[in-house]
Amino acid sequence: MDALVAFLVGQLTTDGFAPVTVLRVTQGRVPVPGTAQALGVAGRRLWLAHAQLIGQPTLASVPLTKVTGVDVRTVRRLTATRRELSAWVDGSTLRFTVLDDEATTAAFVAAARHDGTTTPG
């Protein structure tokens, strides 16, 4: 577990939430310093932890009722093949490059699509 995921899980646990799932992502096509992020589903909310170049990571969340869709697709680029996650939140589209494996990604998508209370099998 990397430091950002540990921060997200620790904050959620401290605040009384049991994380259903956590996913490591980055914005942009190539992970660079300052782009690391972690998404989590807990307490019927979508959580985002964002690494800072200096200081503690920031944490934000939205109710899953504002998340109208989540999708992952595999894309081929000149540099490599990667998985991209799109989340439609309150009228905006958020796009991330997924760093975790397919099983972790599938669990995250299932939790985000099913109100965050369970991860359907």
Side-chain angles (χ1 to χ4, degrees):
M1 181 181 321
D2 70 8
L4 191 57
V5 170
F7 168 79
L8 177 58
V9 170
Q11 283 297 129
L12 292 175
T13 302
T14 298
D15 292 342
F17 297 106
V20 174
T21 184
V22 176
L23 184 67
R24 293 178 313 129
V25 296
T26 185
Q27 290 208 330
R29 295 182 175 163
V30 179
V32 294
T35 65
Q37 299 181 343
L39 296 171
V41 175
R44 295 187 174 166
R45 299 183 73 81
L46 175 65
W47 296 84
L48 170 69
H50 180 76
Q52 300 294 317
L53 288 175
I54 298 174
Q56 189 170 351
T58 58
L59 188 63
S61 72
V62 296
L64 283 173
T65 56
K66 292 189 176 206
V67 179
T68 56
V70 176
D71 190 38
V72 175
R73 64 186 183 125
T74 301
V75 296
R76 293 182 73 164
R77 302 288 184 206
L78 292 175
T79 55
T81 299
R82 68 176 190 277
R83 287 186 315 281
E84 293 180 349
L85 180 128
S86 296
W88 293 272
V89 179
D90 206 22
S92 297
T93 303
L94 307 176
R95 289 191 174 89
F96 304 93
T97 297
V98 177
L99 302 178
D100 280 321
D101 61 27
E102 288 185 39
T104 303
T105 303
F108 174 84
V109 169
R113 286 181 178 166
H114 294 90
D115 86 4
T117 58
T118 60
T119 49

